[in-house]
Amino acid sequence: YNVYYTADKMKTNDKKSNKDFEADVYALVNRFIWTTPVKVLGANLSMDIIVPLLYSDIKLDGVFNDHKFGIGDITVEPLLLHWHGDRYDSVLGVGAYLPTGEFNKNRPASPGKGFTTVMFTGGGTVYFDEAKTWSASVLARYETHTKQEETRVTPGDDFHFEWGLG
């Protein structure tokens, strides 16, 4: 995957910022997937590893000006179960983001986050016609995090929900 993100505004709790802010982040995210010949509950068993390469350039006038390139936190998903039918595909999985990327609380552009995350995934696609021309998809992820040792902060849990029509 290739992702480029840019921002020129930062909003605080009072919805405004008096400082000039600029962020540019580019990520080249490499995902290596292996589908085993094993079946579990009628599903194919796969596993994957995700290795992100990140470049971040972040500036907040008078506060910091930081840029960094490096390997981000690697994701390991040892259990991905996926089922495939004539008119559907579905997936369940469990994985973890490992704190492999460099993290420094004084470097906002650090490619790592400094904590471990356990992630649970579930999703599916339904096809409205036999040729699979039209579809609807949904994917949900729940993430829970460990304490970031350098800051002694434990981030709150995350719930991500994606959907699409095709």
Side-chain angles (χ1 to χ4, degrees):
Y1 310 98
N2 288 291
V3 177
Y4 175 70
Y5 173 81
T6 187
D8 62 2
K9 292 184 177 109
M10 181 176 71
K11 295 184 179 181
T12 59
N13 287 342
D14 61 358
K15 306 292 184 217
K16 57 186 165 183
S17 175
N18 297 325
K19 303 278 186 190
D20 288 329
F21 175 77
E22 187 178 333
D24 292 293
V25 180
Y26 173 73
L28 171 63
V29 183
N30 303 280
R31 185 177 187 197
F32 304 95
I33 305 169
W34 178 46
T35 299
T36 73
V38 175
K39 294 272 191 178
V40 176
L41 302 172
N44 299 92
L45 171 64
S46 293
M47 48 194 73
D48 70 344
I49 186 167
I50 302 170
V51 182
L53 301 173
L54 301 169
Y55 174 76
S56 299
D57 187 1
I58 304 173
K59 300 175 184 109
L60 182 59
D61 187 41
V63 180
F64 57 78
N65 183 348
D66 192 27
H67 60 90
K68 185 77 177 163
F69 172 79
I71 295 175
D73 293 340
I74 292 174
T75 304
V76 177
E77 291 180 290
L79 181 63
L80 289 171
L81 298 175
H82 46 102
W83 295 264
H84 306 283
D86 292 338
R87 302 285 282 270
Y88 74 91
D89 295 305
S90 59
V91 65
L92 288 175
V94 64
Y97 293 90
L98 305 175
T100 54
E102 179 185 341
F103 175 76
N104 181 324
K105 68 180 180 180
N106 299 314
R107 299 282 312 266
S110 294
K113 301 295 181 203
F115 54 85
T116 300
T117 297
V118 177
M119 172 179 63
F120 302 94
T121 302
T125 300
V126 63
Y127 301 98
F128 299 118
D129 60 344
E130 227 176 279
K132 297 184 177 182
T133 308
W134 298 95
S135 65
S137 296
V138 67
L139 182 72
R141 288 199 168 111
Y142 179 78
E143 299 177 355
T144 185
H145 314 288
T146 63
K147 184 185 298 181
Q148 188 179 58
E149 292 303 323
E150 196 171 326
T151 62
R152 315 248 350 120
V153 170
T154 302
D157 294 353
D158 293 309
F159 178 72
H160 307 272
F161 180 79
E162 304 171 20
W163 63 273
L165 297 172

